[in-house]
Amino acid sequence: LNRPVVNVKFSDPAKLRTVTKDNLGKPLSILLDDKVVSTAVVQAVISGGSSSISSEDLDSATELKDLLNAGSLPAKLIEKQVNSVSASLGEEALHRTLVAGYAASAIIVIFMLIVYRLAGIIANLTLLLFAFICLVLLDWMNAAMTLSGIAGFILAVGMAVDANIITYERIKEELREGKSIRSASRSGAKSSFATILDSHATTFIAALVLMMIGTNAVKGFAIVLMMTILVSLVTNVFGSRLLLWLLLKDNAIKRTEWFGVSLKRAAYKAVKPLPDLVKRRNWYLGFSTVVLIVGLIAIMGRGLNPGVDFQSGTRLDLYIGSPFQTSDIAAVIHEEIPSATMKPVVKYGTDGLAATTTFSKPIPAGQLNAVEDKLQERYGAQVSKQESTVDPVIAAEMVKKACYAILIASAGIVLYTGLRFHYLFGIACIIALAHDILIPVALFSALRLEIDLTFIAAVLTIVGYSLNDTIVIFDRIRTNMKQTKLTSARELEELVNRSLWQTMRRSLYTVLTVFIAAVGLLWLGGESIHLFSLALLFGLVSGAYSSIFIAAQVWLILYKRRFLPAG
């Protein structure tokens, strides 16, 4: 008769027989979490343990079936973490972050044109293709771009240039050695591919760990970073080389100046001896040791300043929209939340029209709403709030995940480096990693800056990106060692010094492009990614220094003691 029926099997047939016998002709209700989901009239004594419940239509029957299959949840859900974003604060942060991205991208484009001339044009074209493909993929994924995701995308623009820089620096080296433009382009592209692959792989490992362990905001950053790394390999490696081959296949370009190389100047520089960076390695290691000891003393003495993400509490951001005094805002907050301990109210945002503070314990939503209502009465209806509340249970879980993320990402990258090169390279990477992680942590401790999840994202990005520089140097050392038969420690020192200078320009240029993106985020970006940008800047400087003056020097010391005689 086209009347759907729900068949129900009971776990205790004897109890069902007793209930139906005692309630024959009466309604029998089924409850889920103390709420009635069905009421049926008992029409007969049920002895087999199975019964059927008739329904008016298919939708009702399906809903009842799903409710019964879901089972009971005899636990009350308690709110442990809250994140809300007001329209005013979110719109301002988005606008400022995008402006930062436009400014950083424009500077990078001009930089590539000045340094690489014709090759810079190709790099900029592939960079535009890279950005277009990434945006198409994000749209196809229906991805909701959070501020951390946008920050990851802007950072990836700087990183995408890295593949072109590595390739073009190799081509310029081949040109200085006297090769033709076509031959230099072919040799440079071939010799740089392994370096590019290794450098991208290390950053991908760090992003993968972030995606697996991080919270939602950090996962958004990691997913965008992973996607952009893969797209960068397609556009800025294969795409760039295809365009370069099409341009050079007819030998239309004959002057090396089109690639930013003057053969006369190169011949003059080749005669000049290279400054010895290896000779003073003990000074570099001593300086870093002193800095790290001072940093550890600062951490132990002053401690860290964990944000809401790593300790229980509530961060409250208020968009006022008109001039105000922080003392007036604090007075309103104390009036509505008299028992809470909070940090001083400070201004931020464009023209200082927003305020922020942090409470030492979670604040109920009702009290925060009361603060918003009171401020709207005083300053107008444009006032809005944004809150982030974390319970102690969630905070402890975030601390644990952050530590796991750093340890697993570092171990994975070092393992990859050791397998791809040599175990002594892996040991040198561990020491450089400790240096790169401790420097930003110590500076944040000394300056009393908050450490939150965006800081962890920045640290992991630093780990991957610093290793990019280190791997490029190690790759050149390995290549030079294959071409040289070493017989003494002095010859090894000269080889390492030569390798450092051969990769110096590339290391500085690559760090500079990401540094531009990070400065743009710090200067023009929103308050929500301010600490991320600052940590990234600290780490970029530390990472560039450690790649040249720590990792390579430590490897040299270890290799000399293990394999070479003195002299």
Side-chain angles (χ1 to χ4, degrees):
L1 301 176
N2 197 27
R3 295 186 61 186
V5 173
V6 179
N7 294 317
V8 185
K9 184 176 181 179
F10 291 81
S11 59
D12 192 338
K15 185 179 293 186
L16 178 63
R17 184 179 185 279
T18 301
V19 169
T20 53
K21 180 180 179 180
D22 295 341
N23 295 277
L24 195 62
K26 299 179 181 178
L28 181 66
S29 298
I30 300 176
L31 284 73
L32 179 64
D33 294 334
D34 298 327
K35 293 184 178 180
V36 177
V37 297
S38 175
T39 301
V41 176
V42 180
Q43 299 178 351
V45 177
I46 302 173
S47 57
S50 298
S51 66
S52 60
I53 303 173
S54 59
S55 183
E56 296 180 358
D57 52 51
L58 184 60
D59 291 339
S60 299
T62 302
E63 181 181 4
L64 178 59
K65 180 259 298 182
D66 292 338
L67 286 170
L68 294 176
N69 284 333
S72 178
L73 182 64
K76 183 180 179 182
L77 296 179
I78 302 174
E79 194 175 74
K80 292 290 186 181
Q81 183 174 1
V82 179
N83 286 289
S84 67
V85 181
S86 74
S88 301
L89 290 170
E91 183 178 356
E92 180 188 1
L94 175 62
H95 173 72
R96 295 183 64 183
T97 304
L98 291 176
V99 169
Y102 298 146
S105 299
I107 295 174
I108 291 172
V109 166
I110 295 172
F111 172 82
M112 293 299 291
L113 287 175
I114 294 174
V115 175
Y116 295 108
R117 315 289 174 82
L118 184 62
I121 296 176
I122 294 175
N124 289 333
L125 289 175
T126 56
L127 187 61
L128 288 174
L129 180 62
F130 160 81
F132 174 75
I133 293 176
C134 288
L135 292 174
V136 169
L137 288 175
L138 288 171
D139 182 65
W140 173 72
M141 293 163 57
N142 197 27
M145 284 294 288
T146 61
L147 281 175
S148 58
I150 294 173
F153 183 80
I154 294 173
L155 175 63
V157 171
M159 295 181 64
V161 184
D162 178 55
N164 285 311
I165 291 178
I166 294 175
T167 301
Y168 296 153
E169 283 299 318
R170 282 294 183 97
I171 292 174
K172 291 172 74 171
E173 288 178 18
E174 301 287 344
L175 289 173
R176 293 188 188 102
E177 293 178 2
K179 291 186 178 180
S180 67
I181 292 178
R182 288 186 63 178
S183 177
S185 299
R186 184 165 52 249
S187 300
K190 182 179 179 180
S191 59
S192 63
F193 181 74
T195 306
I196 294 171
L197 190 62
D198 287 333
S199 63
H200 279 60
T202 54
T203 308
F204 191 89
I205 291 172
L208 182 62
V209 173
L210 275 174
M211 187 192 70
M212 295 172 60
I213 299 180
T215 58
N216 288 339
V218 177
K219 283 182 179 179
F221 171 82
I223 291 172
V224 171
L225 189 57
M226 290 172 63
M227 180 198 70
T228 52
I229 288 172
L230 296 177
V231 175
S232 176
L233 284 173
V234 175
T235 58
N236 296 285
V237 178
F238 300 107
S240 177
R241 296 176 186 198
L242 176 61
L243 290 177
L244 188 60
W245 177 81
L246 292 174
L247 188 65
L248 300 177
K249 69 174 184 175
D250 295 327
N251 287 323
I253 308 299
K254 298 184 181 296
R255 293 176 59 86
T256 59
E257 284 80 4
W258 282 98
F259 287 83
V261 176
S262 173
L263 295 181
K264 292 182 179 180
R265 192 183 308 165
Y268 171 73
K269 288 185 176 180
V271 176
K272 296 178 63 178
L274 295 172
D276 194 346
L277 295 177
V278 175
K279 182 179 180 180
R280 299 186 181 276
R281 57 184 175 275
N282 291 332
W283 288 88
Y284 312 144
L285 297 175
F287 172 75
S288 293
T289 301
V290 171
V291 171
L292 291 178
I293 291 175
V294 172
L296 288 174
I297 292 174
I299 293 173
M300 291 185 292
R302 304 197 66 180
L304 300 177
N305 183 22
V308 173
D309 293 330
F310 296 132
Q311 64 179 4
S312 62
T314 295
R315 176 188 171 95
L316 177 63
D317 295 309
L318 295 163
Y319 176 75
I320 307 301
S322 60
F324 65 91
Q325 297 295 324
T326 55
S327 58
D328 295 335
I329 304 299
V332 172
I333 294 175
H334 283 302
E335 181 181 345
E336 299 297 332
I337 315 174
S339 60
T341 302
M342 68 179 191
K343 293 182 179 180
V345 177
V346 296
K347 294 183 178 182
Y348 76 92
T350 305
D351 300 325
L353 298 182
T356 183
T357 187
T358 301
F359 298 91
S360 59
K361 66 178 183 179
I363 304 300
Q367 290 182 297
L368 297 177
N369 292 334
V371 171
E372 182 181 26
D373 293 340
K374 197 68 174 287
L375 290 174
Q376 285 179 345
E377 293 177 5
R378 178 176 295 189
Y379 295 100
Q382 80 281 353
V383 174
S384 59
K385 67 175 175 61
Q386 174 177 310
E387 65 170 300
S388 177
T389 298
V390 179
D391 186 88
V393 175
I394 301 296
E397 183 69 15
M398 287 184 176
V399 172
K400 183 172 69 174
K401 283 188 173 184
C403 294
Y404 285 162
I406 292 176
L407 292 175
I408 294 173
S410 301
I413 293 171
V414 169
L415 179 63
Y416 176 88
T417 308
L419 293 175
R420 192 73 177 85
F421 293 84
H422 186 272
Y423 76 93
L424 290 181
F425 287 113
I427 295 174
C429 282
I430 291 175
I431 295 173
L433 280 179
H435 176 277
D436 296 338
I437 292 173
L438 283 174
I439 292 297
V441 172
L443 286 172
F444 266 56
S445 173
L447 299 175
R448 304 307 299 161
L449 299 173
E450 283 191 358
I451 292 180
D452 54 14
L453 286 176
T454 59
F455 176 83
I456 300 301
V459 168
L460 283 172
T461 305
I462 291 164
V463 166
Y465 206 80
S466 173
L467 276 168
N468 284 355
D469 294 337
T470 304
I471 284 173
V472 171
I473 295 172
F474 284 172
D475 179 78
R476 182 55 64 93
I477 292 174
R478 180 178 60 177
T479 301
N480 288 337
M481 289 181 68
K482 291 179 180 178
Q483 301 171 356
T484 307
K485 186 177 181 180
L486 298 173
T487 58
S488 67
R490 183 56 194 165
E491 290 181 356
L492 178 63
E493 292 176 1
E494 292 174 354
L495 183 144
V496 171
N497 187 63
R498 185 170 70 253
S499 301
L500 288 173
W501 281 108
Q502 287 172 341
T503 56
M504 183 68 70
R505 190 192 302 267
R506 176 265 157 199
S507 297
L508 296 178
Y509 284 174
T510 302
V511 170
L512 180 61
T513 55
V514 184
F515 192 85
I516 290 171
V519 169
L521 287 173
L522 178 65
W523 184 28
L524 300 173
E527 183 73 17
S528 57
I529 57 174
H530 180 81
L531 294 179
F532 170 85
S533 307
L534 196 59
L536 198 58
L537 286 175
F538 290 158
L540 284 172
V541 175
S542 171
Y545 175 84
S546 70
S547 299
I548 299 171
F549 299 104
I550 302 298
Q553 313 298 338
V554 168
W555 176 85
L556 172 63
I557 294 172
L558 295 175
Y559 192 88
K560 282 173 57 178
R561 292 180 178 178
R562 177 69 176 84
F563 293 105
L564 291 178

